Amino acid sequence: MQVEVNPNEDTEWNDILRQHGIIPEKPKDPEPLIQEALIAAEHRAHENRLEDKDIDELDALEDEEDEDFLQQYRQKRLAELSTLQQTSLFNQVYPLQKVDYAREVTEASNSAFVLVNLTSQGANVESRVLTELWRQLATKFGDIKFCEIRADMCIEGYPEKNTPTILVYKDTEIKRQLITLRELNGPRTKVEDLEKLLVDLGALKESDVRLKKRSDSMDDYRNAGDDELNVEDYDDDWD
């Protein structure tokens, strides 16, 4: 008569069968591993609790944190700021002429990300929105080159309904293109939407200190985005 064996039971007979490879080893209880992972995650979170703090916020924690621990993060923030200052070469929107496109965009993308805004010549609301956001991003992220050219001056017969078009260059190649702001948030696109795009592209790191803070003027702009856009107030830089 065949005796059925439950391989998960803790019995002396099962131990003998396991030793001889007749039945598989009893599955390990996952709870200790889960508990260990949770403790490790909690420890990492505690160790990294100052990762998103800037210099002023670190100074405000002097009475709460160990001074040596704070100093490590101060030095790290200062090093990050120094690197950003050294790589901030652009800090403005570069208006393009077609004849200069290869030099100013394609060749320049060997040393930095270059983003081109193919904008509209008319009262295109999304073009107006992106032109304003382009200025804000160029000022904030000086290590990325932001360019702008009227679409029909760059590509003959380019349809206005496809503007604005964003072209992202790196190492002389187009890495991404967005036709209109539909993939972002349409006419309600905000700086945060474009910052997320830059992170996804690898042009910015998620830990970039410049992503941590929002100025009052940026908050005002976001609030203004909820109001109706007055296209007649738009000054076309290309006229």
Side-chain angles (χ1 to χ4, degrees):
M1 182 177 67
Q2 183 176 3
V3 178
E4 290 188 5
V5 175
N6 182 350
N8 294 325
E9 286 185 347
D10 259 338
T11 65
E12 185 177 351
W13 177 242
N14 275 359
D15 288 341
I16 294 172
L17 293 178
R18 290 189 189 103
Q19 289 175 6
H20 289 82
I22 299 173
I23 62 174
E25 291 293 326
K26 183 180 178 182
K28 293 183 178 180
D29 183 356
E31 183 175 343
L33 294 175
I34 295 173
Q35 292 286 359
E36 183 179 344
L38 290 173
I39 292 172
E42 186 176 348
H43 179 72
R44 285 195 302 271
H46 180 72
E47 288 297 310
N48 297 330
R49 63 190 180 278
L50 303 183
E51 280 295 332
D52 63 345
K53 305 296 184 186
D54 63 20
I55 295 292
D56 292 337
E57 290 172 324
L58 291 173
D59 289 342
L61 293 173
E62 285 184 346
D63 295 334
E64 302 175 24
E65 297 283 355
D66 177 74
E67 178 58 29
D68 290 339
F69 188 54
L70 279 175
Q71 188 60 24
Q72 291 178 20
Y73 275 92
R74 286 195 189 97
Q75 295 300 325
K76 183 177 180 180
R77 292 293 170 268
L78 290 172
E80 290 170 350
L81 291 172
S82 176
T83 299
L84 289 174
Q85 289 173 356
Q86 293 173 20
T87 57
S88 291
L89 306 175
F90 307 112
N91 293 111
Q92 63 174 326
V93 176
Y94 289 78
L96 294 175
Q97 299 294 328
K98 187 174 182 178
V99 67
D100 300 322
Y101 196 96
R103 183 184 72 252
E104 295 291 341
V105 177
T106 310
E107 294 175 16
S109 70
N110 279 313
S111 57
F113 273 89
V114 181
L115 277 71
V116 180
N117 172 18
L118 300 181
T119 191
S120 167
Q121 63 174 332
N124 179 309
V125 175
E126 288 192 1
S127 284
R128 173 194 170 189
V129 168
L130 189 60
T131 291
E132 174 57 29
L133 295 176
W134 230 230
R135 292 187 181 118
Q136 296 179 30
L137 290 167
T139 302
K140 190 173 185 181
F141 303 109
D143 50 332
I144 300 172
K145 188 174 185 179
F146 292 87
C147 302
E148 189 170 82
I149 184 171
R150 211 168 72 188
D152 62 339
M153 292 174 59
C154 183
I155 305 170
E156 185 176 355
Y158 194 79
E160 185 169 335
K161 65 183 179 64
N162 288 349
T163 61
T165 292
I166 298 174
L167 301 178
V168 180
Y169 284 78
K170 186 69 177 75
D171 299 324
T172 74
E173 296 181 359
I174 295 179
K175 298 298 185 182
R176 182 80 186 275
Q177 63 179 21
L178 287 82
I179 297 176
T180 76
L181 302 181
R182 182 176 60 252
E183 291 184 48
L184 299 173
N185 200 18
R188 295 185 182 276
T189 296
K190 302 182 176 74
V191 165
E192 291 89 343
D193 299 313
L194 289 163
E195 288 179 342
K196 182 180 184 303
L197 173 65
L198 294 172
V199 171
D200 291 342
L201 290 166
L204 293 176
K205 295 181 179 179
E206 289 187 6
S207 59
D208 195 307
V209 293
R210 295 169 296 182
L211 295 173
K212 305 299 181 185
K213 297 300 175 185
R214 304 283 183 249
S215 67
D216 292 339
S217 60
M218 288 296 299
D219 291 333
D220 292 341
Y221 179 78
R222 288 199 296 271
N223 294 332
D226 294 334
D227 299 331
E228 184 179 356
L229 292 168
N230 183 0
V231 296
E232 295 190 359
D233 290 340
Y234 176 55
D235 292 327
D236 191 343
D237 292 341
W238 304 101
D239 286 342

